[in-house]
Amino acid sequence: MNRVRTAVLPAAGLGTRFLPATKSVPKELLPLLDRPVIDYIVAEAVEAGIERIVLITSRGKDALADFFDRSPSLEAHLRSAGKLALLERVLEVCSRTEVVTIRQQQTLGLGHAVGCAQAAVGGEPFAVMLGDEVIFNESPALGHLLAVHQTMPPSHAVVALMEVAQEQTGRYGICAGEWLDETRMQVAAMVEKPRPEEAPSRQAIVGRYVLPPDIFDVLAQTPPGAGGEIQLTDALAVLAGQGRVIGTRFPGIRHDTGHVLGMLRAAMFAAATRPDLQNEFAAVLAEVTALYGSGD
Ligand code: UTP
């Protein structure tokens, strides 16, 4: 039994790296094949045993709440047209778990977005899953973090770690610490978006966390950091200083769909592994490679 029941999905950001598409469509709703990105993340949460999603949105992103809501006219249309398989898929989106929506009134950063969930989460440990990061794996990557969390006192945090190239450290929160075994690190220090020459390691935090409820008190005291935003990493660094943060490698391949190439890469991985698409996709890929192959 999970002792973590709630997952917070911050999805209130401006998505500037995906403009102009995100001028009117939230990046978390951009399609990864035929499902919005956020749908893969909710599916991962549900598979990991999460019972309740707290979705953080903002002005102009109401379509996110609509996606998880019932749509009686669409359902009636599909039913009368005999499109029952599609109807089932549409209904599944809103029936698999409870989704609560909260608005972040100003996009002051990821730490601030998580802080907006305090009243909805209450006094329990909870998960955070970034609304634009998908992890493809047979078993849910979040389930791995929850299992690690289960072996520790509930006052501890668990963060997902991925090794990145030195020149990429400036895109991530970076952890330093001591490996306890092959997959778990006792995190001693964390720094958000360090320049490559200042990065304490190449272990980057990616978009899955399990957090204790007192992180909300720490967040409330956290001043703006890198990029002038209230950073979750800065709040976690306080917990790390108290010996309360474990970093863990996780199973699966992680994709950042918040920028064009990341989305394209995710779509290619998704198509290459989906039985109804993989053969035709391989043919398209071969055609593109034959025409533009080396990129010269
Ligand atoms: P990002 O930094 O990738 O999102 O945050 P962004 O700010 O929308 O992207 P760019 O840099 O302008 O392209 C990771 C996740 O945190 C959410 C985002 O929606 C995204 O899912 N987020 C970020 C918030 O909910 N609120 C914020 O203030 C910032």
Side-chain angles (χ1 to χ4, degrees):
M1 258 273 290
N2 279 344
R3 61 182 173 204
V4 175
R5 296 184 301 161
T6 304
V8 176
L9 271 56
L14 298 175
T16 54
R17 285 167 300 161
F18 232 126
L19 280 169
T22 45
K23 191 169 169 238
S24 57
V25 181
K27 69 172 167 181
E28 298 81 5
L29 282 182
L30 292 175
L32 184 42
L33 306 185
D34 50 7
R35 294 162 63 194
V37 167
I38 196 93
D39 191 51
Y40 291 81
I41 298 165
V42 170
E44 179 190 330
V46 171
E47 242 187 286
I50 293 294
E51 295 163 18
R52 189 159 162 268
I53 302 288
V54 177
L55 189 61
I56 311 296
T57 68
S58 55
R59 176 172 289 275
K61 296 188 100 170
D62 289 346
L64 273 162
D66 289 347
F67 178 72
F68 294 105
D69 202 1
R70 295 286 296 268
S71 174
S73 55
L74 174 66
E75 292 164 22
H77 169 76
L78 293 173
R79 196 171 288 115
S80 67
K83 297 183 174 168
L84 300 183
L86 273 181
L87 175 64
E88 202 177 311
R89 290 186 72 186
V90 164
L91 286 173
E92 199 213 337
V93 168
C94 31
S95 65
R96 61 196 158 176
T97 185
E98 182 191 357
V99 179
V100 177
T101 317
I102 292 176
R103 273 208 188 196
Q104 183 187 18
Q105 295 190 334
Q106 287 175 285
T107 44
L108 298 178
L110 176 60
H112 181 263
V114 171
C116 293
Q118 179 167 17
V121 167
E124 300 177 359
F126 62 103
V128 171
M129 306 171 82
L130 298 197
D132 57 357
E133 287 192 30
V134 296
I135 301 176
F136 292 141
N137 195 54
E138 289 221 336
S139 61
L142 180 67
H144 175 78
L145 268 73
L146 294 175
V148 171
H149 188 256
Q150 197 87 335
T151 65
M152 300 183 323
S155 57
H156 278 52
V158 180
V159 301
L161 291 183
M162 180 181 85
E163 193 166 293
V164 296
Q166 192 80 35
E167 61 270 21
Q168 290 185 355
T169 56
R171 298 185 200 168
Y172 297 91
I174 300 289
C175 289
E178 223 170 278
W179 288 101
L180 301 172
D181 52 38
E182 283 205 348
T183 60
R184 293 180 310 146
M185 174 196 271
Q186 176 73 51
V187 179
M190 309 168 94
V191 44
E192 183 64 27
K193 299 188 172 64
R195 285 207 291 263
E197 61 277 17
E198 286 163 8
S201 81
R202 294 196 287 128
Q203 296 301 321
I205 308 170
V206 302
R208 301 290 182 272
Y209 311 75
V210 182
L211 302 177
D214 70 338
I215 191 81
F216 291 119
D217 301 329
V218 183
L219 280 168
Q221 306 293 323
T222 302
E229 298 192 339
I230 296 174
Q231 299 288 355
L232 182 57
T233 305
D234 292 344
L236 277 165
V238 174
L239 268 52
Q242 299 164 352
R244 291 203 279 147
V245 179
I246 298 291
T248 181
R249 295 194 172 111
F250 58 90
I253 301 179
R254 171 256 185 196
H255 300 278
D256 178 0
T257 68
H259 60 99
V260 178
L261 201 62
M263 176 65 97
L264 182 62
R265 179 175 179 262
M268 291 176 78
F269 271 77
T273 51
R274 212 169 96 168
D276 62 328
L277 292 176
Q278 57 193 174
N279 289 342
E280 281 176 81
F281 173 66
V284 171
L285 198 56
E287 189 186 351
V288 172
T289 310
L291 273 173
Y292 306 106
S294 60
D296 294 339

